[in-house]
Amino acid sequence: QVHLVESGGGLVQAGESLRLSCTASGSIFSINSMGWYRQAPGKQRELVAIIRSGGSTDYADSVKGRFTISRDTAKNTVYLQMNSLKPEDTAVYYCYLYAFSGGRWNAYWGQGTQVTVSS
């Protein structure tokens, strides 16, 4: 069983910063990637940022230059530093993990954390 625990969401004003954290626990043999997706009301879930086992990263165009993803491999933790937040960043942010557990590769999702940016 694999569990993802997220923290760090909240309500901020435009231009401010937030840092999200997500820690994976359980029977994880190997991690391929960890990242963050978000879903705004009435919209599809979209990739925000991802970091792979080799350290490479990808970002949504809308957050490049403002958000930074990082990780602590020893703690199975991924972070998302969000700077210069905009109202359009308002969404539920979900942690994502692709890992080898229980004899196969699986995708796992956190419960989501709300980020609200007021103008």
Side-chain angles (χ1 to χ4, degrees):
Q1 194 79 346
V2 175
H3 297 281
L4 299 177
V5 178
E6 303 152 334
S7 62
L11 171 64
V12 297
Q13 293 188 333
E16 294 184 340
S17 299
L18 278 175
R19 189 192 195 208
L20 305 183
S21 300
C22 173
T23 298
S25 62
S27 302
I28 299 170
F29 182 77
S30 180
I31 292 177
N32 174 272
S33 57
M34 293 186 77
W36 296 91
Y37 284 70
R38 68 186 179 187
Q39 188 167 18
K43 295 188 177 181
Q44 289 189 329
R45 190 174 296 191
E46 64 174 0
L47 173 69
V48 177
I50 194 165
I51 185 165
R52 300 177 184 83
S53 57
S56 63
T57 58
D58 277 319
Y59 295 89
D61 287 343
S62 60
V63 307
K64 284 180 181 177
R66 300 188 297 121
F67 291 10
T68 302
I69 191 168
S70 62
R71 65 183 179 179
D72 184 333
T73 54
K75 297 180 179 180
N76 284 347
T77 298
V78 65
Y79 306 97
L80 186 67
Q81 178 66 43
M82 305 185 292
N83 298 330
S84 302
L85 283 160
K86 304 176 180 180
E88 51 263 44
D89 294 318
T90 296
V92 177
Y93 284 69
Y94 296 92
C95 180
Y96 167 83
L97 167 71
Y98 192 65
F100 193 86
S101 176
R104 62 177 184 169
W105 290 97
N106 300 283
Y108 300 92
W109 295 92
Q111 79 282 1
T113 185
Q114 178 70 47
V115 171
T116 303
V117 184
S118 63
S119 58

PDB file of all heavy atoms in Angstrom, residues 28-44:
ATOM      1  N   ILE A  28       7.305   0.995  -1.403  1.00  0.00           N
ATOM      2  CA  ILE A  28       7.781   1.547  -2.666  1.00  0.00           C
ATOM      3  C   ILE A  28       9.152   0.974  -2.957  1.00  0.00           C
ATOM      4  O   ILE A  28      10.086   1.180  -2.188  1.00  0.00           O
ATOM      5  CB  ILE A  28       7.855   3.076  -2.605  1.00  0.00           C
ATOM      6  CG1 ILE A  28       6.470   3.663  -2.330  1.00  0.00           C
ATOM      7  CG2 ILE A  28       8.430   3.633  -3.908  1.00  0.00           C
ATOM      8  CD1 ILE A  28       6.492   5.149  -2.022  1.00  0.00           C
ATOM      9  N   PHE A  29       9.267   0.266  -4.081  1.00  0.00           N
ATOM     10  CA  PHE A  29      10.558  -0.321  -4.448  1.00  0.00           C
ATOM     11  C   PHE A  29      11.382   0.658  -5.267  1.00  0.00           C
ATOM     12  O   PHE A  29      12.597   0.763  -5.091  1.00  0.00           O
ATOM     13  CB  PHE A  29      10.344  -1.611  -5.233  1.00  0.00           C
ATOM     14  CG  PHE A  29      11.618  -2.297  -5.612  1.00  0.00           C
ATOM     15  CD1 PHE A  29      12.327  -3.030  -4.667  1.00  0.00           C
ATOM     16  CD2 PHE A  29      12.136  -2.207  -6.902  1.00  0.00           C
ATOM     17  CE1 PHE A  29      13.523  -3.650  -5.003  1.00  0.00           C
ATOM     18  CE2 PHE A  29      13.321  -2.835  -7.241  1.00  0.00           C
ATOM     19  CZ  PHE A  29      14.015  -3.559  -6.285  1.00  0.00           C
ATOM     20  N   SER A  30      10.725   1.382  -6.161  1.00  0.00           N
ATOM     21  CA  SER A  30      11.436   2.322  -7.022  1.00  0.00           C
ATOM     22  C   SER A  30      10.471   3.402  -7.487  1.00  0.00           C
ATOM     23  O   SER A  30       9.291   3.130  -7.711  1.00  0.00           O
ATOM     24  CB  SER A  30      12.018   1.591  -8.233  1.00  0.00           C
ATOM     25  OG  SER A  30      12.710   2.483  -9.085  1.00  0.00           O
ATOM     26  N   ILE A  31      10.992   4.623  -7.630  1.00  0.00           N
ATOM     27  CA  ILE A  31      10.178   5.736  -8.102  1.00  0.00           C
ATOM     28  C   ILE A  31      10.645   6.167  -9.480  1.00  0.00           C
ATOM     29  O   ILE A  31      11.839   6.416  -9.687  1.00  0.00           O
ATOM     30  CB  ILE A  31      10.245   6.922  -7.121  1.00  0.00           C
ATOM     31  CG1 ILE A  31       9.557   6.552  -5.805  1.00  0.00           C
ATOM     32  CG2 ILE A  31       9.605   8.164  -7.728  1.00  0.00           C
ATOM     33  CD1 ILE A  31       9.642   7.638  -4.742  1.00  0.00           C
ATOM     34  N   ASN A  32       9.714   6.254 -10.411  1.00  0.00           N
ATOM     35  CA  ASN A  32      10.007   6.745 -11.759  1.00  0.00           C
ATOM     36  C   ASN A  32       9.881   8.248 -11.821  1.00  0.00           C
ATOM     37  O   ASN A  32      10.736   8.933 -12.398  1.00  0.00           O
ATOM     38  CB  ASN A  32       9.079   6.094 -12.765  1.00  0.00           C
ATOM     39  CG  ASN A  32       9.223   6.666 -14.170  1.00  0.00           C
ATOM     40  OD1 ASN A  32       8.560   7.653 -14.509  1.00  0.00           O
ATOM     41  ND2 ASN A  32      10.086   6.079 -14.969  1.00  0.00           N
ATOM     42  N   SER A  33       8.828   8.778 -11.227  1.00  0.00           N
ATOM     43  CA  SER A  33       8.597  10.218 -11.271  1.00  0.00           C
ATOM     44  C   SER A  33       7.621  10.629 -10.179  1.00  0.00           C
ATOM     45  O   SER A  33       6.822   9.827  -9.708  1.00  0.00           O
ATOM     46  CB  SER A  33       8.058  10.638 -12.640  1.00  0.00           C
ATOM     47  OG  SER A  33       6.879   9.940 -12.945  1.00  0.00           O
ATOM     48  N   MET A  34       7.722  11.885  -9.811  1.00  0.00           N
ATOM     49  CA  MET A  34       6.769  12.521  -8.900  1.00  0.00           C
ATOM     50  C   MET A  34       6.448  13.883  -9.463  1.00  0.00           C
ATOM     51  O   MET A  34       7.290  14.498 -10.141  1.00  0.00           O
ATOM     52  CB  MET A  34       7.336  12.658  -7.481  1.00  0.00           C
ATOM     53  CG  MET A  34       7.554  11.350  -6.764  1.00  0.00           C
ATOM     54  SD  MET A  34       8.051  11.570  -5.022  1.00  0.00           S
ATOM     55  CE  MET A  34       6.466  11.985  -4.261  1.00  0.00           C
ATOM     56  N   GLY A  35       5.263  14.353  -9.156  1.00  0.00           N
ATOM     57  CA  GLY A  35       4.920  15.653  -9.690  1.00  0.00           C
ATOM     58  C   GLY A  35       3.626  16.192  -9.127  1.00  0.00           C
ATOM     59  O   GLY A  35       3.099  15.676  -8.136  1.00  0.00           O
ATOM     60  N   TRP A  36       3.168  17.239  -9.779  1.00  0.00           N
ATOM     61  CA  TRP A  36       1.946  17.927  -9.360  1.00  0.00           C
ATOM     62  C   TRP A  36       1.040  18.176 -10.562  1.00  0.00           C
ATOM     63  O   TRP A  36       1.508  18.610 -11.627  1.00  0.00           O
ATOM     64  CB  TRP A  36       2.295  19.265  -8.708  1.00  0.00           C
ATOM     65  CG  TRP A  36       3.071  19.109  -7.446  1.00  0.00           C
ATOM     66  CD1 TRP A  36       4.428  19.082  -7.307  1.00  0.00           C
ATOM     67  CD2 TRP A  36       2.531  18.949  -6.130  1.00  0.00           C
ATOM     68  NE1 TRP A  36       4.769  18.904  -6.001  1.00  0.00           N
ATOM     69  CE2 TRP A  36       3.624  18.832  -5.239  1.00  0.00           C
ATOM     70  CE3 TRP A  36       1.241  18.910  -5.606  1.00  0.00           C
ATOM     71  CZ2 TRP A  36       3.455  18.661  -3.863  1.00  0.00           C
ATOM     72  CZ3 TRP A  36       1.072  18.745  -4.243  1.00  0.00           C
ATOM     73  CH2 TRP A  36       2.170  18.625  -3.389  1.00  0.00           C
ATOM     74  N   TYR A  37      -0.223  17.897 -10.354  1.00  0.00           N
ATOM     75  CA  TYR A  37      -1.267  18.251 -11.295  1.00  0.00           C
ATOM     76  C   TYR A  37      -2.217  19.201 -10.576  1.00  0.00           C
ATOM     77  O   TYR A  37      -2.194  19.295  -9.340  1.00  0.00           O
ATOM     78  CB  TYR A  37      -2.040  17.004 -11.750  1.00  0.00           C
ATOM     79  CG  TYR A  37      -1.313  16.151 -12.756  1.00  0.00           C
ATOM     80  CD1 TYR A  37      -0.186  15.413 -12.409  1.00  0.00           C
ATOM     81  CD2 TYR A  37      -1.762  16.064 -14.074  1.00  0.00           C
ATOM     82  CE1 TYR A  37       0.473  14.627 -13.341  1.00  0.00           C
ATOM     83  CE2 TYR A  37      -1.116  15.278 -15.014  1.00  0.00           C
ATOM     84  CZ  TYR A  37      -0.003  14.557 -14.633  1.00  0.00           C
ATOM     85  OH  TYR A  37       0.643  13.776 -15.561  1.00  0.00           O
ATOM     86  N   ARG A  38      -3.040  19.875 -11.343  1.00  0.00           N
ATOM     87  CA  ARG A  38      -4.053  20.728 -10.723  1.00  0.00           C
ATOM     88  C   ARG A  38      -5.348  20.657 -11.524  1.00  0.00           C
ATOM     89  O   ARG A  38      -5.343  20.368 -12.715  1.00  0.00           O
ATOM     90  CB  ARG A  38      -3.568  22.170 -10.607  1.00  0.00           C
ATOM     91  CG  ARG A  38      -3.411  22.898 -11.934  1.00  0.00           C
ATOM     92  CD  ARG A  38      -2.795  24.272 -11.703  1.00  0.00           C
ATOM     93  NE  ARG A  38      -2.613  25.003 -12.967  1.00  0.00           N
ATOM     94  CZ  ARG A  38      -1.981  26.164 -13.048  1.00  0.00           C
ATOM     95  NH1 ARG A  38      -1.468  26.742 -11.958  1.00  0.00           N
ATOM     96  NH2 ARG A  38      -1.869  26.765 -14.214  1.00  0.00           N
ATOM     97  N   GLN A  39      -6.419  20.940 -10.820  1.00  0.00           N
ATOM     98  CA  GLN A  39      -7.730  20.948 -11.458  1.00  0.00           C
ATOM     99  C   GLN A  39      -8.547  22.110 -10.918  1.00  0.00           C
ATOM    100  O   GLN A  39      -8.828  22.185  -9.726  1.00  0.00           O
ATOM    101  CB  GLN A  39      -8.471  19.630 -11.219  1.00  0.00           C
ATOM    102  CG  GLN A  39      -9.750  19.502 -12.012  1.00  0.00           C
ATOM    103  CD  GLN A  39     -10.293  18.088 -12.007  1.00  0.00           C
ATOM    104  OE1 GLN A  39      -9.948  17.256 -11.180  1.00  0.00           O
ATOM    105  NE2 GLN A  39     -11.168  17.791 -12.979  1.00  0.00           N
ATOM    106  N   ALA A  40      -8.885  23.009 -11.813  1.00  0.00           N
ATOM    107  CA  ALA A  40      -9.726  24.146 -11.471  1.00  0.00           C
ATOM    108  C   ALA A  40     -11.185  23.770 -11.730  1.00  0.00           C
ATOM    109  O   ALA A  40     -11.463  22.867 -12.518  1.00  0.00           O
ATOM    110  CB  ALA A  40      -9.329  25.360 -12.301  1.00  0.00           C
ATOM    111  N   PRO A  41     -12.110  24.450 -11.092  1.00  0.00           N
ATOM    112  CA  PRO A  41     -13.531  24.134 -11.286  1.00  0.00           C
ATOM    113  C   PRO A  41     -13.928  24.204 -12.753  1.00  0.00           C
ATOM    114  O   PRO A  41     -13.614  25.170 -13.444  1.00  0.00           O
ATOM    115  CB  PRO A  41     -14.242  25.221 -10.477  1.00  0.00           C
ATOM    116  CG  PRO A  41     -13.259  25.600  -9.428  1.00  0.00           C
ATOM    117  CD  PRO A  41     -11.916  25.503 -10.084  1.00  0.00           C
ATOM    118  N   GLY A  42     -14.578  23.144 -13.225  1.00  0.00           N
ATOM    119  CA  GLY A  42     -15.047  23.108 -14.594  1.00  0.00           C
ATOM    120  C   GLY A  42     -13.988  22.809 -15.627  1.00  0.00           C
ATOM    121  O   GLY A  42     -14.259  22.849 -16.834  1.00  0.00           O
ATOM    122  N   LYS A  43     -12.769  22.528 -15.176  1.00  0.00           N
ATOM    123  CA  LYS A  43     -11.675  22.256 -16.107  1.00  0.00           C
ATOM    124  C   LYS A  43     -11.101  20.870 -15.875  1.00  0.00           C
ATOM    125  O   LYS A  43     -11.300  20.269 -14.816  1.00  0.00           O
ATOM    126  CB  LYS A  43     -10.580  23.307 -15.965  1.00  0.00           C
ATOM    127  CG  LYS A  43     -11.020  24.712 -16.358  1.00  0.00           C
ATOM    128  CD  LYS A  43      -9.846  25.654 -16.378  1.00  0.00           C
ATOM    129  CE  LYS A  43     -10.269  27.046 -16.850  1.00  0.00           C
ATOM    130  NZ  LYS A  43      -9.109  27.984 -16.897  1.00  0.00           N
ATOM    131  N   GLN A  44     -10.367  20.393 -16.877  1.00  0.00           N
ATOM    132  CA  GLN A  44      -9.715  19.092 -16.741  1.00  0.00           C
ATOM    133  C   GLN A  44      -8.463  19.210 -15.887  1.00  0.00           C
ATOM    134  O   GLN A  44      -7.850  20.274 -15.794  1.00  0.00           O
ATOM    135  CB  GLN A  44      -9.354  18.558 -18.124  1.00  0.00           C
ATOM    136  CG  GLN A  44     -10.555  18.111 -18.952  1.00  0.00           C
ATOM    137  CD  GLN A  44     -10.145  17.396 -20.219  1.00  0.00           C
ATOM    138  OE1 GLN A  44      -9.093  17.691 -20.780  1.00  0.00           O
ATOM    139  NE2 GLN A  44     -10.952  16.461 -20.664  1.00  0.00           N
TER     140      GLN A  44
END
